Amino acid sequence: MMRKYGLGADNVVDARIVDATGRILDRAAMGEDLFWAIRGGGGGSFGIILWWKLNLVPVPETVTVLQLLRHWNKLPELGLTRKDCIETTWIGSVLYIAGYPTGTKPEVLLEGKSTFKSYFKAKSDFVKAPIPETGLNGFWRRFMHEETALTIWTPYGGMMSKISESEIPFPHRKGTIFMIQYLSSWGDGDKYAEKHIDWIRKLYNYMTPYVSKFPRETYVNYRDLDLGMNKKLSNTSNFITSSVWGYNYFKKNFYRLLLVKTRVDPDNLFRHEQSIPPLPFRKKVKG
């Protein structure tokens, strides 16, 4: 649907947040700069989001479907049969994608936590030019080396190309053909983590010539701590470190996000490994 209507964040018309001083603010009270920042800029960097108000759109007759590939021992190309398929409800598909065993009751989702432990490492890329056949062949060979591999290729274009890169913090717009997510998962804790993480990093390095450059764009919702982390509370240290991954996630919008953060949360109350930090000269920044 985003090829027809844009992102969910593109269709947000109001929100309510709790800011760093404890105030509850809607769009009018928070102002347009903060409202801009929380739509695709990592809302958790600026406050606690209580709710979103969105424009509702009709489901189009033609729906774009993303391409999802898992590692299979035997690919059912040209031989897909009814027994290879699972018919389920939408809520059943949520359970299936989350990795719950077949037959799990939907009520398990009400428990608020998973009944089993699973681990994964994900990375992402944006593709600006068609990948040549040789590149795809190399990708596929490497993909098949990982038993728990998953990749999702999401097509862009349409409305995504018509909306300006600066309309909201999400900048991956005109010129993007599709987005790739790479993922490896495992269910046995840290015992084999190094093997899976090493595989996905090598695949990511292999794809370097075929994806966006300067910066190598990355999707913030597939948070990739390989790009860097805020390790200290020093605003200067955080700013220098965050500039690396911040530009990958937000391109030039990152600098506007810094200014908004500095104004609304100068003491960095809302923070995590890759949150937007305030600038070290915050006293000079005026709202």
Side-chain angles (χ1 to χ4, degrees):
M1 291 180 67
M2 69 185 192
R3 284 170 51 87
K4 187 173 179 67
Y5 298 107
L7 300 173
D10 293 323
N11 290 279
V12 172
V13 296
D14 202 348
R16 183 169 291 178
I17 70 168
V18 180
D19 74 357
T21 66
R23 297 177 301 169
I24 298 177
L25 308 173
D26 62 8
R27 178 176 180 173
M30 75 177 77
E32 288 303 301
D33 277 348
L34 181 53
F35 183 63
W36 175 86
I38 63 175
R39 291 176 295 151
S45 293
F46 305 96
I48 301 171
I49 310 296
L50 299 179
W51 55 253
W52 300 102
K53 183 178 180 181
L54 293 88
N55 274 327
L56 296 181
V57 298
V59 177
E61 293 183 6
T62 302
V63 178
T64 299
V65 179
L66 56 79
Q67 179 64 44
L68 184 150
L69 297 174
R70 290 185 184 271
H71 179 285
W72 292 339
N73 292 327
K74 181 181 178 181
L75 291 173
E77 294 177 21
L78 305 180
L80 186 67
T81 64
R82 175 70 180 179
K83 64 181 177 61
D84 296 309
C85 304
I86 299 174
E87 183 175 353
T88 186
T89 61
W90 174 81
I91 196 66
S93 72
V94 172
L95 294 166
Y96 176 80
I97 293 173
Y100 286 94
T102 301
T104 301
K105 300 296 183 182
E107 286 74 15
V108 71
L109 299 174
L110 298 176
E111 296 177 6
K113 61 181 180 180
S114 177
T115 56
F116 61 94
K117 289 185 177 181
S118 62
Y119 305 81
F120 72 91
K121 172 66 178 176
K123 300 176 82 70
S124 61
D125 268 317
F126 289 86
V127 179
K128 306 284 189 174
I131 300 175
E133 185 176 352
T134 54
L136 291 173
N137 287 338
F139 170 82
W140 188 247
R141 287 195 300 270
R142 289 164 175 78
F143 184 77
M144 294 299 291
H145 287 166
E146 173 71 358
E147 293 182 356
T148 58
L150 169 69
T151 185
I152 302 173
W153 297 32
T154 306
Y156 274 48
M159 183 58 72
M160 292 296 291
S161 295
K162 297 177 182 178
I163 298 174
S164 167
E165 286 190 0
S166 60
E167 182 70 21
I168 63 172
F170 182 94
H172 316 289
R173 303 289 187 170
K174 188 175 181 179
T176 299
I177 302 176
F178 58 93
M179 178 179 67
I180 304 177
Q181 181 189 17
Y182 320 96
L183 187 144
S184 178
S185 60
W186 57 98
D188 38 19
D190 295 330
K191 185 177 180 181
Y192 299 108
E194 185 175 348
K195 179 187 74 170
H196 296 286
I197 293 173
D198 181 64
W199 169 81
I200 198 169
R201 286 173 176 166
K202 287 180 178 177
L203 180 65
Y204 184 76
N205 289 338
Y206 167 79
M207 291 298 289
T208 301
Y210 309 114
V211 298
S212 60
K213 301 173 180 64
F214 311 115
R216 184 169 183 174
E217 299 175 33
T218 309
Y219 181 35
V220 65
N221 279 5
Y222 298 154
R223 189 187 303 174
D224 184 0
L225 298 185
D226 289 345
L227 303 177
M229 291 183 283
N230 294 319
K231 295 182 180 179
K232 300 179 181 179
L233 293 182
S234 165
N235 290 336
T236 301
S237 176
N238 283 347
F239 167 68
I240 295 172
T241 302
S242 65
S243 294
V244 178
W245 49 259
Y247 201 58
N248 290 49
Y249 288 145
F250 305 113
K251 299 173 70 173
K252 293 180 180 180
N253 293 334
F254 175 63
Y255 303 110
R256 183 178 174 186
L257 289 169
L258 288 172
L259 293 175
V260 176
K261 174 70 173 184
T262 304
R263 180 172 62 83
V264 304
D265 187 15
D267 295 321
N268 205 20
L269 174 66
F270 298 108
R271 61 186 183 269
H272 55 73
E273 295 94 335
Q274 288 187 338
S275 58
I276 304 294
L279 290 167
F281 51 86
R282 59 183 182 273
K283 291 182 180 180
K284 298 180 181 180
V285 176
K286 298 180 180 180

